[in-house]
Amino acid sequence: MIKKVTPRQIAPFLILAAVAIASLFIPVVPGFEDKAGVYNPADIAWIIVATALVFLMTPGLAFFYGGMVHRKNVISTMIKSVVAAGVVGVLWIVVGFSLAFGSSIGGFIGDPTTFLFFKDVSSGAPWSLAPSIPLALFALFQMMFAIITPGLVVGAVAERIRFTSYILFTVLFSLLVYAPLAHWSWHPDGFLFKMGVLDFAGGTVVHISAGCAALAGALVLKRRKVHMENKEIPPANVPYVLIGTGLLWFGWFGFNAGSALGSNALAVSAFATTNTAAAAAGLSWMFFDVVRGKKPSVLGFCIGAVVGLVAITPAAGFVGIPQSIFIGAVAAIISNIAVYYKQKSRLDDTLDVFPCHGIGGMVGMLMTGLFASKAVNSAGNDGWFYGNFDFFFTQVKALVIVVAFSFTASFIIFKFINFILPLRVTEEEEELGLDATQHNEKYLQGTLLVAKNGQMKEEEVSEHISE
């Protein structure tokens, strides 16, 4: 029997169909002719690889988050991270790139018509800050950042948000929060860029914005039943977390080293600071757990390493390699303490996105203000540690602005969605798990032959896995 479909359920398909049809009427024009020979083949090759590496972080994030939730919510958590590749992958081509990097409107947002449906991207001259690679490659590299950012928010709202509501959140967050922040920070006419704020690969644009959105989402969605009952949720699959961490760490080399936008010494430096901070942070979190009386754990090292990657992101191309050890170690301790106090509060941020990504990003921005050095990157600045307090204060001002904007805008987005759609699943659906109720799928599928009373019976696998 075919279930009756409501207009709300049809709407996403109709919108996609309209976009697909509209795309047919966009004229195809010849690509940019590099008559002056500005393209550098080595730079192009490296940024293509870096773009692919950043994309790999999205399925990596799915494994990272999916392994930490209850087994009845693994599939629903993983698809929410991965589906951003579809939603943002289309949205960025249609209007996202224009809003982030189109002709500036007052330093706050790009003109949506500049690159509408990627108009003039293939035929356009290179981006001013990436003159040796095609504009299309720069746009695709930036798209991967836009894809993973809403995926980060999933960890805070996991196990209780409706899939359709999350899809709408991804669209609104990408257009109303991510795109403006990217414009402010990375467009030469963006107002934070003009202030002299340094964010090498996304401390503000990606991690603080996602962390603050995660906090807003957790507050609007309120607490899960298991959280109110103080039940401990066993991770579904710790090896998944380890696999996800490896994919994130690997992809982060493209994230940070690729942000040098060329195959050069700065990319090598950013590569080194990225690995060093992650290594130091993983050890710092694990050893700090031991100091607090806990045993060293796989989860502890993995979470710590990711916090280190978050913290070094804004600083990767501006600080020295030795200083990245300090940045990673300190960021892990601060986030570890933040997680401890969050667990004692009524805040139900399922996978600690705000303490790890939000606060980790804030620490990274401040550490950039402390340890940035023109000796590493002449296009950067010297930090307070090298006698320039003014630059540190600039980073502080940017942090406050981005936190206030990201949290407020995201809170309004979640409230708006809740007004027009049910944001949260029902209590019964939450009890049964979102894998079954939202997707009609299970983390564990199939049957087993079980011996009972001398007879062999076929039973569902899930019946033999403890709750």
Side-chain angles (χ1 to χ4, degrees), residues 145 185-186 196-208 252 255-257 259 266 270 273-274 277 306-319 327 331 356-373 376-377 380-381 391 395 398-399:
F145 288 71
S185 303
W186 291 335
V197 175
L198 296 183
D199 181 3
F200 191 72
T204 56
V205 182
V206 177
H207 297 292
I208 294 179
W252 226 293
F255 202 81
N256 288 356
S259 293
L266 182 60
T273 57
T274 299
V306 170
V307 169
L309 292 165
V310 169
I312 199 61
T313 292
F318 299 118
V319 302
I327 293 172
C356 293
H357 287 275
I359 292 179
M362 295 176 201
V363 171
M365 284 297 290
L366 296 178
M367 291 290 187
T368 306
L370 284 172
F371 301 117
S373 172
V376 175
N377 187 341
N381 211 331
F391 171 62
Q395 295 292 99
L399 188 153

Side-chain angles (χ1 to χ4, degrees), residues 71-231:
R71 65 177 179 83
K72 63 185 179 183
N73 295 308
V74 172
I75 302 298
S76 66
T77 301
M78 295 180 79
I79 185 57
K80 287 187 182 76
S81 292
V82 174
V83 78
V87 177
V88 181
V90 173
L91 197 62
W92 189 254
I93 300 298
V94 175
V95 73
F97 182 58
S98 290
L99 292 174
F101 294 97
S103 300
S104 186
I105 301 176
F108 289 95
I109 196 70
D111 184 341
T113 66
T114 305
F115 301 114
L116 189 66
F117 280 91
F118 250 34
K119 178 190 68 173
D120 298 331
V121 172
S122 295
S123 60
W127 184 249
S128 60
L129 300 179
S132 63
I133 63 174
L135 177 61
L137 179 54
F138 172 77
L140 293 172
F141 179 67
Q142 291 296 334
M143 180 175 71
M144 302 308 166
F145 288 71
I147 286 172
I148 197 172
T149 305
L152 295 171
V153 182
V154 172
V157 296
E159 303 191 326
R160 62 199 189 279
I161 191 171
R162 287 182 183 274
F163 182 69
T164 51
S165 298
Y166 172 74
I167 293 289
L168 182 55
F169 165 78
T170 300
V171 172
L172 296 177
F173 176 85
S174 298
L175 297 179
L176 303 178
V177 179
Y178 182 86
L181 287 176
H183 190 83
W184 299 357
S185 303
W186 291 335
H187 195 289
D189 294 325
F191 86 93
L192 290 182
F193 190 98
K194 286 187 171 181
M195 276 175 56
V197 175
L198 296 183
D199 181 3
F200 191 72
T204 56
V205 182
V206 177
H207 297 292
I208 294 179
S209 71
C212 290
L215 177 61
L219 292 172
V220 174
L221 278 160
K222 298 183 171 54
R223 302 165 73 190
R224 293 163 295 157
K225 185 179 179 181
V226 291
H227 190 267
M228 291 187 284
E229 295 173 350
N230 295 316
K231 288 185 178 178

Side-chain angles (χ1 to χ4, degrees), residues 406-422:
S406 299
F407 176 79
T408 304
S410 299
F411 189 86
I412 293 171
I413 288 171
F414 276 114
K415 281 290 189 181
F416 172 74
I417 295 171
N418 200 36
F419 178 73
I420 63 173
L421 291 172

